[in-house]
Amino acid sequence: MRKNIYSKFDKKLISGLPTLEFPGRIISIISPQETDKAVDYLLSSDILGVDTETRPAFKRGEQHQVCLLQVSNRDTCFLFRLNHTGMTPKIKQLLEDTAVRKIGLSWHDDLRALEALHPFKPGLFIDLQDMVNDLGVEDLSLQKLYANFFHKKISKRQRLSNWEASVLSDKQKQYAAIDAWSCIHLYEEIMRLKTTHDYDLIAVPDPVKSDEMVKNQTTE
């Protein structure tokens, strides 16, 4: 069955979609010693999804360092609480690994934030924003892309929550895990469609341009 994808997904439609849930295990890593086994397990996978979180700043001039690195394979997501573990040698090994594909979105920004904690040489990372344009898709946000390709909603309610809290809530853990895990699904679907061409692109005109066209037609 061919899939319809849109050059731009209507944000108004997202609220009516079923909410995506992470069905696997979520494991928080809060001590440097725990990072060793977690990284070894993750690097035994064939593909990983990655993302980071930073405590939001609400005051002018206020800045915070990245405090959470979430890394997921197809069924388990590890939440590395960097404000507790620091950048351990094992986490550095994970970030410098060149064998396992690590998929993120707007990952260039995340890398800069992680490098601010401790310098490292980035390994094999793939940014979804560098891929979607090949299909004619212009949207770059994770929520719009997932809605476009899978017709499910990624809730963003926890985005501005306190990621440096002593204990993360279940909702925060779900949010963090989904942001990493969903990158794997998007990558594999984009690669499938690029290979099979089993899709139809529905071009959605830019609202500003459409308004200008209507205005021009009415004045002719």
Side-chain angles (χ1 to χ4, degrees):
M1 183 176 177
R2 291 179 68 84
K3 172 173 284 190
N4 288 335
I5 58 175
Y6 297 85
S7 60
K8 296 179 181 180
F9 195 84
D10 189 348
K11 189 175 182 178
K12 296 176 183 177
L13 300 177
I14 294 177
S15 61
L17 298 175
T19 301
L20 180 66
E21 295 185 3
F22 180 70
R25 297 184 300 164
I26 303 175
I27 302 173
S28 293
I29 303 298
I30 59 175
S31 71
Q33 296 75 19
E34 292 176 300
T35 64
D36 290 7
K37 288 185 178 180
V39 169
D40 287 342
Y41 173 79
L42 287 167
L43 290 181
S44 69
S45 307
D46 65 317
I47 191 170
L48 298 171
V50 292
D51 194 26
T52 67
E53 303 297 340
T54 301
R55 179 182 175 182
F58 298 108
K59 298 179 181 179
R60 180 177 296 180
E62 181 183 10
Q63 289 185 329
H64 300 284
Q65 290 185 315
V66 58
C67 60
L68 182 68
L69 168 66
Q70 55 263 48
V71 186
S72 180
N73 61 16
R74 290 186 173 86
D75 55 36
T76 304
C77 184
F78 287 86
L79 307 181
F80 295 92
R81 304 210 61 193
L82 299 176
N83 53 319
H84 294 289
T85 67
M87 183 69 77
T88 68
K90 268 296 183 180
I91 294 177
K92 184 180 178 184
Q93 177 190 344
L94 172 67
L95 295 172
E96 293 187 332
D97 170 76
T98 58
V100 181
R101 293 167 296 171
K102 290 167 280 294
I103 318 300
L105 186 137
S106 190
W107 186 247
H108 309 291
D109 296 332
D110 294 80
L111 280 175
R112 284 195 292 269
L114 290 165
E115 287 173 320
L117 294 180
H118 192 283
F120 62 91
K121 183 178 180 180
L124 179 54
F125 291 100
I126 299 170
D127 196 319
L128 293 171
Q129 290 186 343
D130 297 333
M131 300 176 63
V132 293
N133 192 249
D134 292 340
L135 298 180
V137 175
E138 300 177 36
D139 288 325
L140 297 178
S141 76
L142 183 66
Q143 187 184 54
K144 282 190 175 182
L145 289 175
Y146 209 89
N148 197 352
F149 285 92
F150 296 108
H151 300 287
K152 288 191 175 182
K153 176 180 66 178
I154 293 179
S155 173
K156 307 304 288 185
R157 290 182 179 179
Q158 298 300 313
R159 184 173 66 90
L160 297 179
S161 59
N162 181 12
W163 294 102
E164 293 183 6
S166 57
V167 178
L168 296 180
S169 69
D170 289 342
K171 290 182 178 180
Q172 284 180 303
K173 292 178 182 179
Q174 269 282 323
Y175 174 95
I178 286 171
D179 272 9
W181 175 69
S182 61
C183 288
I184 298 175
H185 291 189
L186 281 167
Y187 172 80
E188 293 183 330
E189 183 66 359
I190 291 167
M191 292 300 295
R192 183 186 76 82
L193 295 177
K194 287 175 69 172
T195 301
T196 64
H197 303 285
D198 190 23
Y199 69 95
D200 293 306
L201 178 69
I202 300 175
V204 179
D206 185 271
V208 175
K209 292 181 179 179
S210 298
D211 292 343
E212 289 177 352
M213 289 176 62
V214 172
K215 183 179 180 181
N216 291 335
Q217 289 174 356
T218 56
T219 56
E220 287 179 355

